[in-house]
Amino acid sequence: MSRKLLDKNFCVLPWTGFELEPSGVVKNCIISKETIGNIHQNSIEDILQSKKNLEIKTQMLNKEFPNNCTGCYFQEKDRATSFESISSRLYYAKEVGPFIDNSLLDDKNNFNLKHVDLRWNNKCNQACVYCGPEYSSKWATELGETVKSDKENIEKVRQYVFKNIKTLKNVYLAGGEPMLMNDNKEFLTLLLEHNPDVHIRVNTNLSSTKTGVFQLLCKFKNVHWTVSVETIKEEYEYVRYHGSWEDFKNNLKHIQTLNHKISFNMLYFILNYKSVFDCIDYFKSIGFHNNSFILGPLTSPLFLNVNHLPKHIKDEVITIFKNKIAEQPGFYLQNSLENCLKYLTEEGFNATIDKVLKGIKQMDERRNLDSRKVFPKLYEEVLN
């Protein structure tokens, strides 16, 4: 691994990979603050050598901290050893760094594709409360919106990725819901034939396992299932609208038999301000380790932000987090709890319960749901 990747400002992705969003936007990774291009305006090759990407590389080479990467820097801040963090920067340093020539990172003009994060379209069978039309076709239908996409430009990206299929070391499939995307069938078929040892991470709601994509994933030995979930039972079905808790549990049991890595990608927001701990406890009760939980604060949409909690409730929640951390659970769970606590204790947020009530009411009316029945404690402690 290049010694540059030990520097806290440095990331391997601007030299080795990209993230494609359903709208055609290209970024270095999903948590990047800035875009580096759009495939409906420029080719993927030109985007990877664009002025913006070269600027990010130059800043890193100059030992600066690009604004683009503040999400990772925030996660790593105040940690005694940076490599203890769950940040994406460090994940890709470990996943991609060992497979590059040290000289690759010496020049801003160098690029060698080793990683792709592919979100081909917004096709999804759920409309999670914090999502929207760009990442969910269910949301788009609900709001009567369309996410435009040019099939010709998507095909050019496909061909670029397929041309480099043997050099890939890490693949991330997300969406939308990756199990529903036909593009993933062809991609995984080619990977299985030409690069079967590649590391694959798939971010899924785990609701669709009979589409062919799931069956292909089961044939690889290096698969990391990143399962999106943050509540259980009735709350699960409200938060992950159109989802079924029973179906989810059955599909989770299935992938537990595969000898693949499984972790839970969990968001923390006002609807699960306390119940998130019940969710974590449930998964631990069925055999999952503290290293299986990656929990982070939701920042958008604003009306679901946990910092809208009244001060006395927020103080209570902060105490819960401190007590959980004091138990020293270790691993990703402890890092996650510390990150959420840090977010809760930051100053400057303009808390307004009216925004929460208005946003939830609009969603309830549009979906013919009753959040009061699903979240009685929330209304008792916070919203009444």
Side-chain angles (χ1 to χ4, degrees):
M1 181 187 294
S2 170
R3 292 193 61 82
K4 284 187 174 65
L5 295 178
L6 300 178
D7 294 339
K8 290 188 175 183
N9 76 308
F10 217 93
C11 180
V12 71
L13 286 188
W15 280 265
T16 60
F18 67 91
E19 182 246 342
L20 173 68
E21 301 204 347
S23 63
V25 162
V26 176
K27 301 195 294 186
N28 296 121
C29 78
I30 186 59
I31 66 170
S32 294
K33 295 288 185 182
E34 301 161 359
T35 67
I36 59 173
N38 190 307
I39 63 166
H40 302 313
Q41 299 169 359
N42 299 100
S43 70
I44 187 63
E45 293 91 339
D46 287 344
I47 291 171
L48 296 174
Q49 293 296 334
S50 65
K51 179 181 177 181
K52 185 59 189 177
N53 202 34
L54 295 179
E55 177 184 290
I56 292 168
K57 292 180 183 180
T58 299
Q59 288 179 296
M60 289 182 178
L61 289 169
N62 290 338
K63 309 245 183 234
E64 298 170 5
F65 290 77
N67 178 67
N68 181 57
C69 305
T70 54
C72 285
Y73 300 148
F74 173 82
Q75 289 179 326
E76 297 169 24
K77 186 181 178 183
D78 302 325
R79 300 198 65 77
T81 303
S82 64
F83 269 79
E84 295 175 351
S85 174
I86 56 176
S87 73
S88 292
R89 184 184 80 86
L90 295 173
Y91 172 83
Y92 291 115
K94 297 170 188 175
E95 286 289 319
V96 179
F99 302 104
I100 62 172
D101 293 333
N102 289 343
S103 61
L104 178 71
L105 305 180
D106 292 340
D107 189 330
K108 68 178 182 179
N109 295 301
N110 290 342
F111 189 87
N112 187 357
L113 188 67
K114 298 292 183 183
H115 162 78
V116 288
D117 177 342
L118 300 171
R119 301 152 195 255
W120 300 109
N121 56 61
N122 71 334
K123 190 172 184 180
C124 189
N125 55 354
Q126 293 184 353
C128 301
V129 294
Y130 48 72
C131 197
E134 182 178 357
Y135 297 105
S136 166
S137 54
K138 283 289 188 183
W139 256 106
T141 299
E142 183 175 314
L143 297 181
E145 298 182 12
T146 302
V147 176
K148 295 182 179 180
S149 181
D150 189 316
K151 292 183 179 180
E152 182 178 344
N153 293 327
I154 293 290
E155 179 60 27
K156 290 177 182 177
V157 177
R158 277 164 40 95
Q159 293 308 315
Y160 173 74
V161 173
F162 293 174
K163 182 177 67 176
N164 292 281
I165 202 144
K166 293 181 180 179
T167 73
L168 294 175
K169 296 300 180 181
N170 184 272
V171 167
Y172 189 13
L173 301 179
E177 171 49 48
M179 300 297 173
L180 300 177
M181 298 179 189
N182 288 327
D183 294 281
N184 285 333
K185 288 184 185 179
E186 184 176 359
F187 182 37
L188 290 170
T189 299
L190 288 172
L191 278 173
L192 197 59
E193 179 180 356
H194 299 290
N195 192 355
D197 294 329
V198 67
H199 285 208
I200 300 174
R201 184 161 60 129
V202 55
N203 193 327
T204 174
N205 60 35
L206 208 59
S207 61
S208 298
T209 58
K210 298 179 181 179
T211 61
V213 177
F214 178 83
Q215 287 72 18
L216 284 165
L217 284 166
C218 291
K219 296 180 180 180
F220 290 86
K221 63 180 181 180
N222 298 313
V223 178
H224 178 182
W225 299 86
T226 305
V227 181
S228 295
V229 60
E230 48 279 306
T231 49
I232 61 176
K233 301 179 180 178
E234 295 85 0
E235 287 191 12
Y236 171 93
E237 295 185 354
Y238 182 95
V239 170
R240 311 196 71 81
Y241 186 49
H242 299 295
S244 162
W245 174 243
E246 289 302 317
D247 288 347
F248 173 85
K249 288 196 300 180
N250 291 334
N251 293 334
L252 181 61
K253 287 179 183 178
H254 188 143
I255 64 170
Q256 282 183 278
T257 67
L258 297 176
N259 198 31
H260 287 166
K261 182 177 180 179
I262 303 171
S263 61
F264 299 101
N265 185 31
M266 312 175 79
L267 289 170
Y268 182 56
F269 51 107
I270 201 162
L271 295 183
N272 67 346
Y273 71 110
K274 286 184 180 176
S275 63
V276 69
F277 303 112
D278 296 329
C279 185
I280 291 171
D281 287 344
Y282 169 77
F283 290 123
K284 288 173 69 173
S285 75
I286 60 173
F288 286 96
H289 186 270
N290 285 345
N291 215 33
S292 302
F293 304 99
I294 299 176
L295 173 67
L298 177 74
T299 58
S300 176
L302 189 60
F303 79 92
L304 290 176
N305 195 300
V306 72
N307 281 312
H308 284 298
L309 289 171
K311 185 180 184 306
H312 68 289
I313 300 297
K314 189 173 178 180
D315 288 343
E316 182 182 342
V317 171
I318 287 172
T319 298
I320 294 173
F321 270 98
K322 287 181 177 179
N323 290 339
K324 296 284 185 181
I325 293 168
E327 294 172 4
Q328 297 186 331
F331 305 97
Y332 287 159
L333 178 56
Q334 179 149 344
N335 194 179
S336 295
L337 295 173
E338 290 169 348
N339 285 342
C340 288
L341 176 62
K342 184 164 54 175
Y343 187 74
L344 281 165
T345 53
E346 283 190 334
E347 298 181 358
F349 186 85
N350 183 23
T352 311
I353 286 296
D354 287 346
K355 289 183 179 179
V356 180
L357 285 167
K358 181 180 178 181
I360 294 176
K361 181 180 179 181
Q362 289 176 341
M363 196 154 47
D364 278 358
E365 290 177 348
R366 196 169 58 242
R367 297 177 173 184
N368 194 27
L369 299 176
D370 187 351
S371 56
R372 289 180 177 272
K373 292 182 179 179
V374 181
F375 304 96
K377 184 174 287 291
L378 174 68
Y379 279 90
E380 177 186 339
E381 293 189 339
V382 178
L383 297 183
N384 282 336

